[in-house]
Amino acid sequence: MKRLPALFSALALTVTPVLAPAAPAAATAPALAPVAATTPAQAAPAYHVVRPGETIKSIAARFGLRRRDLRAWNGIIKPNQPSPDGVLNLAKPAGGGLSGWRSSIETVTPGVVNWDPAKKCPVPPADLRKVWVTYIDFYGVSHQGSIVVHRTIATRTQRAFQALYRMRFRIQGMSPMTLNAPYISDMGAVTSGYNCRAVNGSKTWSQHAYGKAIDVNPVQNPMVRGTYIDPTDGTSFLRRGAYRRGMMHAAGAVRAFTDNGFYWGGRWRSLRDDMHFSMNNR
């Protein structure tokens, strides 16, 4: 399989795989100030989701923009081109752009993963790691988010999320949600890894129970088996030929994981699970 192109090579990068424990009032009547945005969406610039074959030149022409502005607003250095599934700002971001990508790895305590010996989960907390990565939310703002995975896939998880960042792919939310996306109350929308649970409708441990599977943007990439859809909010994303913010396609964001040794549930036949990436194709 082809490797991802070296996109955005000028971005600052710090990977730290180190284990660690867990104005006075005016005298005259002031002019009316602009009303502050009440939601992240109101503060975000217009955006475009990149389709296969599109370039900075073609996107700039489509929206009547200067190529140099489009590059500057999205931190794309010549001669690099945008990636399918990436999301480009079509105006200057109010916050001054992205922060640059960073990552680190921490050990976890039983409390961090709500460890319950009675459940007899297949992997102890000592074998899990919390991986911190920079991600871009749906409104173009960068955050530090975390995901818990098995220690054996911590570094490849870092590389996969680094690739998503370089693509300018957007993630709806990552833990800690109270800090990163307090406006989202549905935890089913969160990109996550470890979860001590069985496969739905069976007594077989899910690969999430081993910390060896990751779900990305569940709502935008739902699991479908016949007429069953999970999560149900993903119904409007069943047309997989569309290119919408947070959706993953084989020629785009999926490659961030498959190029790092993960298998993609979007290629399964008995069901389709576009959010799901695992180490053993289960």
Side-chain angles (χ1 to χ4, degrees):
M1 182 175 291
K2 294 182 179 178
R3 301 291 298 177
L4 282 168
L7 300 180
F8 317 117
S9 57
L11 286 174
L13 171 61
T14 303
V15 178
T16 314
V18 178
L19 301 182
T28 58
L32 291 176
V35 177
T38 58
T39 69
Q42 288 176 307
Y47 65 86
H48 172 68
V49 181
V50 181
R51 277 73 167 167
E54 290 186 320
T55 64
I56 288 291
K57 181 179 180 179
S58 67
I59 296 170
R62 175 177 175 179
F63 293 100
L65 302 171
R66 296 187 300 181
R67 279 175 275 176
R68 66 184 182 187
D69 288 339
L70 190 58
R71 287 187 178 277
W73 297 335
N74 294 283
I76 301 177
I77 309 301
K78 284 184 176 182
N80 294 320
Q81 294 293 336
S83 168
D85 292 336
V87 181
L88 300 187
N89 293 319
L90 298 180
K92 184 177 180 180
L98 301 173
S99 63
W101 196 81
R102 295 181 292 123
S103 183
S104 61
I105 301 173
E106 298 177 353
T107 55
V108 302
T109 63
V112 167
V113 293
N114 297 315
W115 179 257
D116 182 357
K119 291 184 177 181
K120 298 182 179 181
C121 300
V123 175
D127 284 344
L128 300 173
R129 298 291 183 268
K130 179 179 283 191
V131 180
W132 288 91
V133 297
T134 308
Y135 76 94
I136 307 170
D137 73 10
F138 272 19
Y139 307 108
V141 179
S142 54
H143 301 272
Q144 285 299 113
S146 67
I147 186 167
V148 176
V149 296
H150 195 275
R151 59 181 175 78
T152 58
I153 68 167
T155 54
R156 70 177 68 206
T157 297
Q158 285 181 309
R159 293 195 297 266
F161 279 91
Q162 178 192 357
L164 291 181
Y165 183 88
R166 286 178 168 175
M167 288 178 173
R168 299 302 189 250
F169 181 76
R170 295 192 180 180
I171 295 175
Q172 188 164 19
M174 293 182 72
S175 180
M177 292 293 283
T178 53
L179 177 64
N180 289 335
Y183 47 86
I184 295 177
S185 58
D186 179 11
M187 294 301 102
V190 179
T191 292
S192 62
Y194 172 77
N195 186 351
C196 183
R197 64 172 177 82
V199 174
N200 290 340
S202 79
K203 295 183 179 180
T204 302
W205 286 116
S206 163
Q207 289 303 297
H208 290 283
Y210 296 93
K212 293 185 177 182
I214 294 172
D215 288 344
V216 181
N217 287 344
V219 173
Q220 292 75 27
N221 303 286
M223 186 274 283
V224 181
R225 177 185 288 161
T227 59
Y228 178 74
I229 302 169
D230 184 29
T232 56
D233 289 348
T235 302
S236 65
F237 291 89
L238 296 182
R239 290 178 55 252
R240 302 309 296 176
Y243 278 78
R244 297 170 60 185
R245 183 177 54 179
M247 292 178 69
M248 308 189 82
H249 299 87
V254 166
R255 295 176 61 193
F257 288 90
T258 56
D259 282 0
N260 282 292
F262 290 86
Y263 292 90
W264 179 42
R267 294 194 173 104
W268 293 347
R269 295 187 180 276
S270 60
L271 61 88
R272 178 167 180 152
D273 198 351
D274 286 286
M275 74 179 87
H276 186 85
F277 297 90
S278 65
M279 296 310 302
N280 61 359
N281 207 23
R282 288 188 289 179

